Amino acid sequence: MKKMEKRNYTQEEQTEIVRDAMTLTSTIQVEEEELARLRAEAFRAKPAPPKRKVLPVPQIQAQLPSPPKTQYRFSEYLKDSWKTIVIFCLVGAAVFFFPRLPLALHMGAGRVFSALITSIIGGSLTFSLVILLVMFVRYRKECQRRNEELAQSPEYLQAVEAAKNAAAAQQKKAQDETAAQQAQIDGKYQSDLEQYQKVTLPAYEEELARWQEKQREKIAILEEDLEINQETLAKLYDTTRLVSLTYRNLWILRWLYDDMRSSDHDIRYATELLDRERQRIATEQSGRLVQEAIGEVRSDMMSGFQAVYAAVDSGNEALVEELRKTRRHQDVSSVIGTVQRHQLNRSAKTQTQLLDKHLNRK
């Protein structure tokens, strides 16, 4: 293929080329953002199925009467155990008396009687604490035995049985009431579940399928527009060979266009000016320049998108097809207009290729 020679464009033609490159780049960026938004959109979440509620069954605890306690007192126990107390006292006296008996006999009969009296008194006092402790321990065991007998008495066992029977009756009543309420809840749950499975879920899935189909259609329309604009921009750069790769960022195109349209600077001089302070301009102005360039095309583009989206959402296929054809003709006309402005020697061939590729799409 014969290599195309680079044309010498006038300053006005160069400004037009930069403007067209900027406009196409802005358009492509807006379409890419819109495509990203459409692809990220999600249909509403699937409705949750009904949940079966299970009622807790109340647990009735029997209120058992307290076991009866003996009223037997320690003083009564001591009174009833006087023989045992006497035996302990005698043992204590013997413990004190017999060790002293040989000495008392050696000293005379009077000493024996005195030793006996002393042993009785001393043994009783000495063993009094031991006797009381032992008797209290035996008293506690006796109280325990009597309490156990009372806990097995017919009267108490009858009262316990009555309390258990009352609790069992209350438990059965609570279970019956809970079962009746649970049956009502389960009936409604089954009805809700059937409604969910046969009506709600199928309706949601049908709406989801329609939404997905419409979403695919919207994306396809945007992708078609985007492809045309990308091809147009590539053809513009390839044909004119005016803007090198390092100057094709949107903010740079905007800065060059603003400079060239407000002066008599050609592309070479404008890029030289840019290169002198490129870092400062990139830091201070790039965001504003991009927004200005995009802002000039976004409003019209979004209005066109919304018209197509509305037609797709309404299900009016005839209107959708008409709008798509209109957009195709507009895009192709834009392509042809750009090429005609900057590639006069190949415009006929380009027009034929674009018409064959885009107007004949299904």
Side-chain angles (χ1 to χ4, degrees):
M1 180 183 293
K2 184 180 178 180
K3 185 176 180 181
M4 185 172 53
E5 296 182 359
K6 183 174 180 181
R7 281 188 53 192
N8 293 320
Y9 296 100
T10 65
Q11 195 274 344
E12 290 183 359
E13 289 175 329
Q14 290 180 10
T15 305
E16 279 188 341
I17 291 171
V18 173
R19 181 198 62 195
D20 289 342
M22 178 193 67
T23 302
L24 285 168
T25 303
S26 301
T27 301
I28 289 169
Q29 185 166 326
V30 171
E31 288 177 330
E32 287 176 338
E33 291 174 357
E34 183 65 9
L35 272 173
R37 186 191 68 80
L38 285 176
R39 288 170 179 151
E41 275 187 342
F43 195 57
R44 70 175 186 274
K46 180 165 65 174
K51 293 184 178 180
R52 178 175 179 263
K53 180 182 178 181
V54 179
L55 294 177
V57 179
Q59 298 299 313
I60 307 299
Q61 299 295 329
Q63 300 298 316
L64 300 179
S66 300
K69 301 293 182 182
T70 181
Q71 300 299 316
Y72 193 42
R73 299 180 178 276
F74 184 53
S75 59
E76 294 175 332
Y77 177 74
L78 292 177
K79 181 179 179 182
D80 293 340
S81 302
W82 65 270
K83 293 180 180 180
T84 302
I85 296 174
V86 170
I87 291 173
F88 270 106
C89 289
L90 291 176
V91 169
V95 169
F96 271 77
F97 174 70
F98 284 108
R100 293 174 174 79
L101 182 59
L103 181 62
L105 291 174
H106 179 75
M107 296 179 67
R111 288 291 185 181
V112 172
F113 180 76
S114 175
L116 177 62
I117 297 302
T118 303
S119 298
I120 293 173
I121 296 173
S124 298
L125 293 175
T126 303
F127 279 81
S128 60
L129 294 176
V130 176
I131 292 172
L132 287 175
L133 179 62
V134 171
M135 296 306 294
F136 183 76
V137 171
R138 297 183 66 181
Y139 163 74
R140 294 292 296 175
K141 291 183 178 179
E142 177 64 16
C143 288
Q144 182 178 357
R145 184 190 66 79
R146 293 191 179 198
N147 286 335
E148 291 175 352
E149 288 182 354
L150 289 173
Q152 298 300 317
S153 65
E155 295 82 2
Y156 177 70
L157 294 179
Q158 185 177 2
V160 170
E161 187 65 22
K164 290 181 178 180
N165 291 338
Q170 293 178 1
Q171 182 67 51
K172 186 178 184 306
K173 180 181 179 182
Q175 289 175 341
D176 292 342
E177 291 176 350
T178 302
Q181 295 175 7
Q182 188 66 56
Q184 293 179 351
I185 291 174
D186 289 345
K188 186 177 186 305
Y189 167 75
Q190 290 298 328
S191 175
D192 292 345
L193 183 61
E194 184 176 358
Q195 174 74 13
Y196 174 80
Q197 293 175 337
K198 294 183 178 180
V199 179
T200 305
L201 191 57
Y204 169 81
E205 291 174 346
E206 183 179 348
E207 289 180 23
L208 174 60
R210 288 199 303 265
W211 181 85
Q212 290 173 334
E213 179 61 30
K214 291 175 181 178
Q215 202 75 352
R216 284 191 292 268
E217 190 171 359
K218 294 174 185 178
I219 290 173
I221 294 172
L222 269 181
E223 288 176 338
E224 186 176 35
D225 282 358
L226 178 60
E227 182 181 355
I228 294 173
N229 287 318
Q230 288 172 334
E231 291 176 0
T232 306
L233 181 60
K235 178 64 66 175
L236 176 65
Y237 285 139
D238 182 62
T239 300
T240 61
R241 294 189 297 163
L242 186 70
V243 182
S244 64
L245 285 171
T246 56
Y247 297 98
R248 293 179 183 179
N249 290 339
L250 182 56
W251 75 268
I252 295 178
L253 293 172
R254 179 69 188 196
W255 191 93
L256 293 174
Y257 176 64
D258 286 346
D259 180 70
M260 294 172 68
R261 71 173 173 173
S262 61
S263 67
D264 59 355
H265 299 164
D266 62 5
I267 188 70
R268 180 184 297 275
Y269 189 76
T271 52
E272 288 176 356
L273 289 176
L274 173 66
D275 289 339
R276 292 174 190 173
E277 297 188 89
R278 184 165 182 170
Q279 185 59 48
R280 182 187 63 80
I281 296 172
T283 303
E284 298 178 359
Q285 303 182 36
S286 59
R288 175 182 61 80
L289 293 170
V290 168
Q291 292 305 315
E292 288 178 356
I294 291 178
E296 291 178 358
V297 299
R298 183 188 295 276
S299 179
D300 290 340
M301 290 182 65
M302 293 307 299
S303 297
F305 293 157
Q306 294 304 322
V308 174
Y309 296 164
V312 171
D313 290 336
S314 68
N316 190 334
E317 295 298 331
L319 179 57
V320 171
E321 186 58 26
E322 180 181 348
L323 287 173
R324 292 188 71 171
K325 287 181 179 180
T326 301
R327 292 188 63 81
R328 288 196 198 104
H329 281 284
Q330 290 173 345
D331 290 333
V332 172
S333 297
S334 175
V335 171
I336 294 172
T338 301
V339 173
Q340 285 177 338
R341 284 195 297 271
H342 313 302
Q343 192 187 1
L344 300 179
N345 59 330
R346 300 181 63 193
S347 60
K349 181 179 177 181
T350 303
Q351 290 180 41
T352 302
Q353 291 175 341
L354 292 170
L355 288 172
D356 288 343
K357 186 172 184 179
H358 298 295
L359 293 181
N360 294 327
R361 289 184 179 181
K362 291 182 180 180

